Amino acid sequence: MLIVRCSNGVLWLNINLHMKICIACFLRFYVPEQIFKDGALDLFIASSIPVLKVLLITALGSYLALDKVNILGEDARKHINNVVFYVFNPALVASKLATTITLDSLMHLWFMPFNILVTFMIGSLLGWLLILCTRPPSHLRGVIIGCCAAGNLGNMFLIMIPAVCKEKGSPFGSPDICQSYGLGYISLSMAIGAMYLWSYVYNIVRASSAMIADKSRKLHVDISSRESSSSELENCTEPLLSSKEFSPSLEHAHQKALPVTRTESRSEMTILDRLKQRIMTLFANTNWKSLFAPSTIAVVVGFVIGLVPQVRELMIGNNAPLHVIHDSASLIGDGAIPTLTLILGGNLLKGLRGSGVKISLIFGIVVVRYIALPLTGVFIVKGALNLGLIPHDPLYQFILLLQFAVPPAMNIGTITQLLGAGEMECSVVMLWTYALASISLTVWSTFFLWLVT
């Protein structure tokens, strides 16, 4: 126990980070005495410490990406992104999911996949409305919808929930029990979020980047064809057809009339036929290989290991014959969170230099992620609780609510780097959203902790 003496009184805290002292002393000047008695300050500190941890690792990544340091340069970040995409993320998802997911827990957590789907649907709708209002360039539309729809459902939770469980003001009981159940909730959240991200957001960003590539390719073909045709006309000296030879007679005039039946048949095309044609076009343009991204395959592997008892007995547990495979995957997966956070810090450095992104666009994404979605989440989760769709578990409710308030997924930056579309603009969006997350996520986490207790 450590006594922290402030000028306005004495505050007793279990200190594991010096930042907690600064927060407590600073708030002691401005927060009334009644709040200390109600325990709201403990909730605020429990919510702010995890966010500060993320910001510290992000700041370290930005420092390593400086030109004078040049440890996390642009080429290094691209190579590490590939390692995260193909190795770290799949190992993390599969190992955590296989350990914590069983048939009983899956029946208990059935509402979470639906809750995440709702966040993606509402975020996509709000992102589409933002595009209509701001009219951004075509190659940014997929990035905007992705940032509004996909939240950081894995890495942020893996840092926040264990830290909240260990804090003094945590309402979730014993830290060990809280972490045990929390890892199960986080694993399913991370797995479902990864599946939605790589099957939905990846294809949206890919489609918007492909449109720009097709337009540039067509423009290049048109310019080259015009240059070739103009050169041919310059070299041509003889007339192609004399005016005497081209004198249409009246008796052959009916043969030169344009057909009308085809246009009439096209105009008479039913709405159902048009809808079928658009659906076929959508399926033809979808990159089906991305549906089987490494993280998506890891979700399937994790479910198979966790839900099939025979496979689970072979791989999970210290006495399992093949437990070394699971232990190795867990060891590799543990490097995903700090690596992704460091890469995020390096990418945010590019956002400081600016890229011509409209302020209204950044403001709109911030409003969607930090105001509209959290308010919607309160009504959805509380409505589900009143209808008896979710259990009276404070930790489970807290994670469901937090899924609506987290910043955009870090893997969106990975997607833009893999596809080479909107990378600079995405860095600017990530810079402002994660900078404001230190305030927004702390406030919403404090409110959610109060709400579930």
Side-chain angles (χ1 to χ4, degrees):
M1 189 69 69
L2 177 66
I3 302 177
V4 181
R5 297 187 179 276
C6 302
S7 60
N8 198 20
V10 179
L11 181 64
W12 296 75
L13 288 174
N14 286 315
I15 302 297
N16 56 2
L17 288 175
H18 294 290
M19 291 179 295
K20 191 184 296 185
I21 305 175
C22 301
I23 295 173
C25 291
F26 176 77
L27 293 176
R28 191 65 169 146
F29 285 108
Y30 304 102
V31 180
E33 184 72 21
Q34 184 64 30
I35 292 183
F36 284 93
K37 296 180 181 179
D38 295 340
L41 179 62
D42 292 333
L43 295 178
F44 187 83
I45 294 175
S47 303
S48 60
I49 293 299
V51 181
L52 290 176
K53 289 181 180 179
V54 176
L55 292 179
L56 283 176
I57 302 174
T58 304
L60 177 61
S62 299
Y63 173 76
L64 295 177
L66 292 173
D67 294 334
K68 61 181 181 180
V69 180
N70 199 22
I71 295 177
L72 276 180
E74 185 174 357
D75 293 335
R77 290 198 303 272
K78 288 182 179 179
H79 293 309
I80 297 176
N81 257 328
N82 289 328
V83 176
V84 171
F85 176 70
Y86 288 104
V87 181
F88 284 174
N89 266 346
L92 178 66
V93 171
S95 61
K96 297 296 183 183
L97 197 62
T99 305
T100 55
I101 293 299
T102 60
L103 288 174
D104 295 335
S105 63
L106 192 62
M107 295 297 296
H108 179 72
L109 303 175
W110 70 269
F111 186 79
M112 185 175 289
F114 174 75
N115 190 70
I116 297 174
L117 179 62
V118 170
T119 63
F120 273 73
M121 293 175 59
I122 297 177
S124 299
L125 177 61
L126 295 175
W128 179 70
L129 294 176
L130 179 61
I131 289 174
L132 294 180
C133 295
T134 57
R135 299 182 181 277
S138 300
H139 70 283
L140 292 181
R141 294 176 182 176
V143 177
I144 294 170
I145 295 178
C147 290
C148 293
N152 194 334
L153 302 177
N155 309 319
M156 188 69 73
F157 283 83
L158 285 171
I159 297 175
M160 290 189 62
I161 300 303
V164 171
C165 291
K166 295 177 182 177
E167 289 302 318
K168 173 186 173 182
S170 173
F172 304 132
S174 173
D176 296 334
I177 298 176
C178 175
Q179 288 192 44
S180 177
Y181 281 98
L183 282 178
Y185 303 154
I186 295 167
S187 300
L188 183 61
S189 174
M190 180 170 53
I192 300 299
M195 186 171 61
Y196 289 160
L197 178 74
W198 292 104
S199 61
Y200 173 67
V201 176
Y202 178 85
N203 278 293
I204 288 181
V205 179
R206 184 197 61 82
S208 62
S209 62
M211 290 173 58
I212 299 300
D214 292 339
K215 288 181 180 179
S216 61
R217 192 182 302 110
K218 289 179 181 179
L219 181 62
H220 178 71
V221 171
D222 291 340
I223 293 174
S224 61
S225 62
R226 289 177 183 176
E227 290 177 354
S228 61
S229 61
S230 62
S231 62
E232 290 178 358
L233 289 176
E234 290 177 357
N235 296 328
C236 182
T237 56
E238 297 181 357
L240 297 176
L241 186 65
S242 62
S243 58
K244 294 181 180 180
E245 292 176 356
F246 187 73
S247 56
S249 58
L250 293 175
E251 59 183 10
H252 297 290
H254 66 281
Q255 298 179 357
K256 299 177 177 61
L258 294 175
V260 184
T261 56
R262 292 184 179 178
T263 56
E264 291 178 354
S265 63
R266 288 180 181 176
S267 62
E268 294 176 358
M269 183 182 296
T270 61
I271 300 176
L272 183 60
D273 294 335
R274 293 178 181 176
L275 182 61
K276 289 181 179 179
Q277 186 178 3
R278 291 185 178 181
I279 293 176
M280 293 299 294
T281 304
L282 178 63
F283 275 90
N285 293 331
T286 301
N287 187 5
W288 294 104
K289 292 182 179 179
S290 65
L291 296 179
F292 299 96
S295 296
T296 308
I297 297 174
V299 172
V300 178
V301 173
F303 272 114
V304 170
I305 297 174
L307 298 178
V308 179
Q310 294 79 6
V311 181
R312 186 180 183 86
E313 292 176 359
L314 286 174
M315 301 188 66
I316 306 300
N318 294 328
N319 298 324
L322 302 178
H323 72 91
V324 65
I325 299 177
H326 178 262
D327 294 342
S328 301
S330 300
L331 184 63
I332 296 173
D334 290 339
I337 302 170
T339 305
L340 267 176
T341 312
L342 288 174
I343 294 174
L344 175 67
N347 290 335
L348 293 184
L349 188 64
K350 299 169 62 177
L352 290 173
R353 299 164 184 168
S355 63
V357 181
K358 294 181 180 179
I359 299 178
S360 60
L361 184 61
I362 299 174
F363 178 77
I365 294 176
V366 169
V367 170
V368 169
R369 288 237 58 103
Y370 295 149
I371 297 178
L373 279 174
L375 290 175
T376 307
V378 171
F379 288 103
I380 291 175
V381 175
K382 280 299 180 181
L385 181 63
N386 293 331
L387 294 175
L389 299 178
I390 58 177
H392 292 273
D393 184 356
L395 180 60
Y396 184 48
Q397 297 175 29
F398 176 70
I399 292 179
L400 291 178
L401 289 168
L402 206 60
Q403 287 173 347
F404 288 90
V406 289
M410 294 181 183
N411 279 324
I412 297 178
T414 304
I415 292 173
T416 56
Q417 285 186 336
L418 291 174
L419 297 175
E423 183 179 351
M424 183 70 72
E425 293 83 354
C426 183
S427 300
V428 177
V429 173
M430 290 292 182
L431 170 67
W432 288 104
T433 52
Y434 274 84
L436 295 175
S438 59
I439 300 173
S440 173
L441 197 56
T442 302
V443 173
W444 280 113
S445 298
T446 306
F447 176 71
F448 292 157
L449 287 173
W450 172 82
L451 193 65
V452 299
T453 55

